[in-house]
């Protein structure tokens, strides 16, 4: 039984709620400042359907740590949506534009803004300025969080891992001979930003027990791997047409000789479909979900099962929005 079929058999969700998921996203009302930044994104960086920002903003209800106080939930969601915009700018620079010069300057914003050079050769100053606007919005909100100083060091480390994952994707697209599934499974999941998202959550949660950070991070490693699979199996076709070979589905097909980098996108897509590569990743997602659901985590600060169930919702929304983000 394939992963998707097994998922439907177990929970009955993928086949019957796609319309509901899409409608839930489209009806999501973005905060006014996020909507302004979305319009600016389209003007400065390139058209990103507002559906993407509605999608992630809506999904934060499912995978925000359940310990976040309800009275700060909207602030937390807004901050994380703005962080997603900043990350997406960097991702576009690395993956879609191949703009290493602007990427290198924009990635310094959280760590060494004083070292940024707008006059560096090849830098797109408009995109860099917009990235700076986004990061400043995020940073100004984070500094208001009651546990900001306590968790800043780890948050900055985690953000570096997300940026490094984007750099790996750029290097892979420029040097496709290095493509291998082991590295894609190692670096790729950090592009899901789940560690920085959780860092923001606990910055706003004084009740979180810091001694549980190790267990939380073990859990996040499992969940971000699942989130990456959900992203891979629903974006790989679009990415192939964009000359992007970083999705695990595509890397696995390259590894196994199912396709080559010389194949036209339509031919490669047909070969991957015929071999059932994406379905095997769906199988893996289901197996991971079952395994993490059965595992015991020594966490008392929040209901672990609730967060794990939220990943099912994330997968539902990935599948339902196929081709729309």
């Amino acid at each position: 039984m394939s992963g998707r079929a097994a998922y439907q058999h177990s929970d009955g969700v993928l086949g019957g709620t796609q319309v509901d998921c899409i409608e839930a996203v489209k009806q999501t009302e973005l905060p006014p400042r996020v909507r302004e930044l979305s319009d600016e994104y389209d003007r400065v960086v390139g058209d990103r359907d507002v559906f993407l920002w509605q999608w992630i903003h809506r999904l934060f209800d499912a995978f925000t740590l359940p310990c976040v106080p309800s009275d700060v939930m909207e602030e937390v969601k807004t901050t994380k949506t703005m962080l997603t915009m900043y990350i997406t700018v960097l991702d576009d620079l690395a993956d879609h534009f191949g703009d290493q010069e602007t990427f290198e300057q924009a990635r310094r914003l959280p760590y060494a803004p004083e070292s940024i050079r707008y006059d560096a050769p090849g830098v797109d100053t408009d995109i860099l300025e917009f990235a700076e606007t986004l990061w400043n919005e995020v940073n100004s909100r984070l500094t208001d969080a009651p546990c900001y100083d306590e968790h800043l060091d780890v948050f900055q480390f985690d953000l570096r891992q997300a940026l490094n994952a984007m750099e790996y994707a750029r290097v892979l697209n420029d040097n496709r001979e290095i493509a291998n599934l082991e590295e894609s499974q190692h670096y790729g999941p950090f592009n899901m930003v789940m560690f920085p998202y959780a860092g923001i959550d606990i910055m706003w949660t004084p009740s979180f027990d810091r001694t549980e950070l190790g267990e939380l991070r073990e859990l996040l490693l499992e969940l971000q791997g699942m989130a990456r699979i959900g992203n891979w199996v629903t974006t790989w076709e679009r990415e192939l047409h964009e000359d992007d070979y970083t999705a695990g589905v595509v890397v696995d097909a390259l590894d196994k000789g199912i396709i080559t980098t010389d194949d036209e996108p339509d031919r490669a897509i047909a070969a991957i479909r015929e071999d059932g590569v994406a379905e095997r990743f769906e199988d893996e997602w289901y197996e991971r979900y079952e395994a993490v659901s059965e595992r015991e985590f020594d966490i008392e600060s929040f209901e672990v099962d609730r967060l794990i169930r939220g990943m099912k919702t994330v997968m539902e929304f990935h599948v339902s929005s196929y081709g729309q983000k």
Side-chain angles (χ1 to χ4, degrees), residues 194 219-228 292 307-308 311:
M194 289 196 66
L219 173 60
L220 292 174
L221 275 173
E222 298 293 336
L223 299 186
Q224 76 170 5
M226 293 165 56
R228 194 51 169 157
V292 77
L307 181 62
I308 294 172
M311 298 310 296

Side-chain angles (χ1 to χ4, degrees), residues 236-237 258 266 268-279 322:
W236 66 273
E237 292 186 44
I258 297 166
D266 288 340
I269 288 169
I272 290 171
R273 285 178 178 170
E274 182 178 356
D275 200 77
V277 180
E279 285 76 7
Y322 196 103

Side-chain angles (χ1 to χ4, degrees), residues 132-306:
E132 185 170 11
T133 296
L134 288 169
W135 174 251
N136 288 342
E137 291 266 3
V138 172
N139 194 48
S140 66
R141 290 169 179 271
L142 289 182
T143 54
D144 290 336
C147 305
Y148 171 76
D149 291 331
E150 180 181 355
H151 296 291
L152 177 60
D153 187 33
V154 176
F155 173 79
Q156 289 186 325
F157 170 81
D158 290 335
L159 190 55
R160 280 192 177 95
Q161 308 319 302
L163 297 173
N164 195 47
M166 294 177 209
E167 175 71 353
Y168 173 73
R170 183 197 64 77
V171 171
L172 190 156
N173 271 329
D174 289 346
N175 304 272
R176 292 174 186 167
E177 300 83 1
I178 74 169
N180 67 91
L181 190 57
E182 299 296 327
E183 276 194 299
S184 292
Q185 289 176 324
H186 174 77
Y187 290 108
F190 286 97
N191 204 359
M192 296 293 96
V193 204
M194 289 196 66
F195 279 79
Y197 288 153
I200 292 173
D201 291 345
I202 60 178
M203 282 181 179
W204 283 97
T205 310
S207 65
F208 181 84
D209 183 352
R210 187 177 173 86
T211 65
E212 296 178 352
L213 277 172
E215 285 285 301
L216 171 61
R217 294 175 74 81
E218 285 189 31
L219 173 60
L220 292 174
L221 275 173
E222 298 293 336
L223 299 186
Q224 76 170 5
M226 293 165 56
R228 194 51 169 157
I229 289 172
N231 177 265
W232 278 341
V233 300
T234 55
T235 61
W236 66 273
E237 292 186 44
R238 170 181 59 77
E239 291 174 354
L240 265 179
H241 280 293
E242 295 171 351
D243 206 31
D244 181 351
Y245 283 73
T246 57
V249 172
V250 177
V251 171
D252 193 36
L254 288 170
D255 251 358
K256 291 182 168 65
I258 297 166
I259 65 170
T260 73
T261 55
D262 293 327
D263 290 333
E264 292 295 325
D266 288 340
R267 188 269 166 200
I269 288 169
I272 290 171
R273 285 178 178 170
E274 182 178 356
D275 200 77
V277 180
E279 285 76 7
R280 289 195 290 276
F281 278 87
E282 291 170 4
D283 287 343
E284 181 184 345
W285 185 94
Y286 185 71
E287 290 165 3
R288 284 174 175 244
Y289 180 77
E290 290 284 280
V292 77
S293 297
E294 294 171 0
R295 183 173 167 183
E296 294 291 332
F297 291 91
D298 188 16
I299 297 175
E300 299 293 335
S301 293
F302 62 86
E303 185 184 347
V304 172
D305 288 348
R306 180 176 162 191

